[in-house]
Amino acid sequence: MNKERIARVTENMKKEGLEQIIVSSTTSLFYLTGLWIAPHERMIALYLDADGKAMLFGNEIFGITEQEIPLYTHTDSDNPVKQLAERVKGGKLGIDKFWSSKFLIGLMELRPDVKPVLGSAPVDLARMIKDKAEIEALRKSSAINDMVVKTIIGELKEGRRENELAARVNQLYLENGADCEGTQLVCFGANGADPHHDGDSTVIKAGDSATFDIFIPINRYWCDMTRTVFFKEVSAKQREVYELVKRANETAEKLIKPGMLLSDIDKIARDIITEGGYGKYFTHRLGHGIGLDCHEPPDVSGASNVAVQPGMAFSVEPGIYLPGEFGVRIEDLVIVTEDGCEVLNKASKELTVIE
Ligand SMILES: [Mn+2]
């Protein structure tokens, strides 16, 4: 149990008008209890009330040995929500956005007096502001990412395939302490015009853009960075698009400071790309929060009317995607400080043509 974090969550519950909540996501449970449980289809639920009272409900297969929180286990032959249903209070109950509907509906059938509402905000708001240990973990994993991106760009050679380099990125991650392998986005030429193109057997050819969007958790905390380079030659249009994306990325990073809105940061980058004539080809939000999950609050989009606060960690990743031609994205992670932001990624953003 992390008492300081639980206290922040119960404070947020009061602000949100929630007397009781259920936390079920693996990462939120880990954040609050230090237990890492991947339940798959089975049930796990941490119950919290606004006074800080906690109960843990889970399948006995998880082997939970936590001593501080009252634990109620069930087996595969039991109704998994029965014990929880016997112990929650009537009225409003905040439910984690990731809790499976099969458990929620089961609970509603047993307890028609309980009114479930979306209840992720108290934990999300706490997780949004990183503490010292989290900031250090994010710095470490991004430092490894800087090294990996430099190595992989150095290995871009004649005949190389997207999926081959994606596998190599995973190998480099594992050699440097990553928790697992992941899907790495390596996109050559026109494939780069799809922001989420998943590396296939495409071979690099002269004149291609090559986008590397690489991300993995290391000691539970994610890194996530994108660099785009050009192979053998770069056209005037590619150069123009690259410099525009770079300026959008660097200007946004330079102007981030507490007190402005997250939507203002999106607008700074978007206005630069729009004024450069490519606004309709920047098809996604500027960024996303990052921490124990690769994508988590806060959202850095035009709809995010939330004030920037010290301790927030998020990506700044403008892109321009020209269907049938090429794509450019440049992404760094930043952590908001008292008067600006710390850019975690140091890998070069200078326009690079691989010979
Ligand atoms: Mn990202």
Side-chain angles (χ1 to χ4, degrees):
M1 281 283 267
N2 187 314
K3 293 209 169 68
E4 191 270 332
R5 290 176 180 175
I6 300 258
R8 285 168 64 199
V9 170
T10 52
E11 203 53 44
N12 292 337
M13 286 171 69
K14 286 169 194 154
K15 284 184 206 153
E16 299 281 319
L18 288 168
E19 275 288 309
Q20 48 178 359
I21 60 168
I22 281 173
V23 181
S24 74
S25 91
T26 298
T27 49
S28 287
L29 200 76
F30 176 75
Y31 179 76
L32 296 174
T33 67
L35 296 169
W36 186 269
I37 297 162
H40 303 291
E41 78 280 17
R42 293 188 169 92
M43 200 210 63
I44 184 79
L46 173 70
Y47 171 93
L48 286 177
D49 77 9
D51 297 326
K53 181 184 154 195
M55 295 185 276
L56 192 56
F57 300 87
N59 194 296
E60 67 176 21
I61 201 172
F62 303 147
I64 300 168
T65 53
E66 164 69 43
Q67 301 290 315
E68 288 176 76
I69 315 170
L71 174 67
Y72 301 93
T73 58
H74 58 270
T75 70
D76 285 344
S77 306
D78 298 328
N79 176 345
V81 291
K82 184 169 174 289
Q83 301 201 60
L84 177 65
E86 285 166 359
R87 287 169 180 85
V88 299
K89 291 177 241 179
K92 215 155 65 161
L93 172 63
I95 307 286
D96 190 317
K97 62 196 165 201
F98 297 114
W99 208 39
S100 170
S101 55
K102 69 183 178 184
F103 303 131
L104 175 57
I105 291 167
L107 175 64
M108 289 166 75
E109 283 170 356
L110 291 172
R111 286 292 300 273
D113 61 318
V114 167
K115 183 179 178 270
V117 295
L118 194 57
S120 294
V123 181
D124 285 351
L125 292 170
R127 282 180 54 179
M128 214 159 72
I129 308 301
K130 269 61 186 178
D131 58 34
K132 269 192 184 146
E134 293 186 289
I135 289 172
E136 201 38 51
L138 286 165
R139 280 189 189 124
K140 278 189 183 154
S141 82
S142 279
I144 289 170
N145 218 15
D146 281 339
M147 200 165 71
V148 170
V149 89
K150 201 172 163 219
T151 305
I152 199 69
I153 288 171
E155 293 182 9
L156 181 61
K157 301 249 156 62
E158 202 85 58
R160 287 291 158 91
R161 295 175 190 279
E162 291 176 345
N163 51 14
E164 181 190 2
L165 291 180
R168 175 71 176 135
V169 170
N170 275 320
Q171 185 192 6
L172 289 164
Y173 278 149
L174 291 175
E175 284 169 12
N176 285 282
D179 299 338
C180 56
E181 293 183 61
T183 302
Q184 308 304 333
L185 308 181
V186 179
C187 319
F188 299 156
N191 291 343
D194 170 5
H196 281 165
H197 171 78
D198 193 347
D200 60 24
S201 60
T202 301
V203 177
I204 190 79
K205 58 182 196 309
D208 275 350
S209 58
T211 298
F212 297 87
D213 183 350
I214 62 173
F215 42 100
I216 211 72
I218 301 170
N219 291 322
R220 308 281 187 217
Y221 281 82
W222 285 79
C223 54
D224 184 9
M225 168 176 40
T226 308
R227 289 293 182 266
T228 302
V229 298
F230 298 93
F231 192 62
K232 303 280 188 197
E233 56 203 55
V234 60
S235 69
K237 188 176 184 181
Q238 284 171 328
R239 190 178 286 277
E240 178 198 0
V241 165
Y242 187 88
E243 293 299 346
L244 198 55
V245 172
K246 180 167 171 267
R247 189 149 58 84
N249 165 278
E250 291 179 339
T251 308
E253 289 175 356
K254 200 185 295 170
L255 296 179
I256 288 167
K257 63 171 189 298
M260 68 198 297
L261 299 179
L262 287 157
S263 56
D264 295 335
I265 307 173
D266 180 278
K267 189 174 184 314
I268 290 165
R270 200 167 302 279
D271 283 353
I272 289 171
I273 289 177
T274 301
E275 281 157 25
Y278 290 94
K280 71 182 258 214
Y281 301 104
F282 177 16
T283 47
H284 54 73
R285 63 183 173 184
L286 182 66
H288 54 84
I290 192 158
L292 288 166
D293 285 304
C294 186
H295 287 194
E296 62 178 47
D299 179 33
V300 188
S301 78
S304 194
N305 294 315
V306 172
V308 174
Q309 296 166 65
M312 281 182 170
F314 52 81
S315 67
V316 176
E317 49 179 309
I320 294 176
Y321 310 96
L322 302 175
E325 296 183 62
F326 66 96
V328 172
R329 179 167 60 259
I330 302 175
E331 171 183 27
D332 294 317
L333 298 186
V334 304
I335 293 178
V336 180
T337 59
E338 292 301 324
D339 56 358
C341 77
E342 173 184 344
V343 180
L344 298 187
N345 296 105
K346 322 281 185 209
S348 172
K349 293 186 268 197
E350 289 309 304
L351 190 148
T352 302
V353 181
I354 305 294
E355 293 307 327

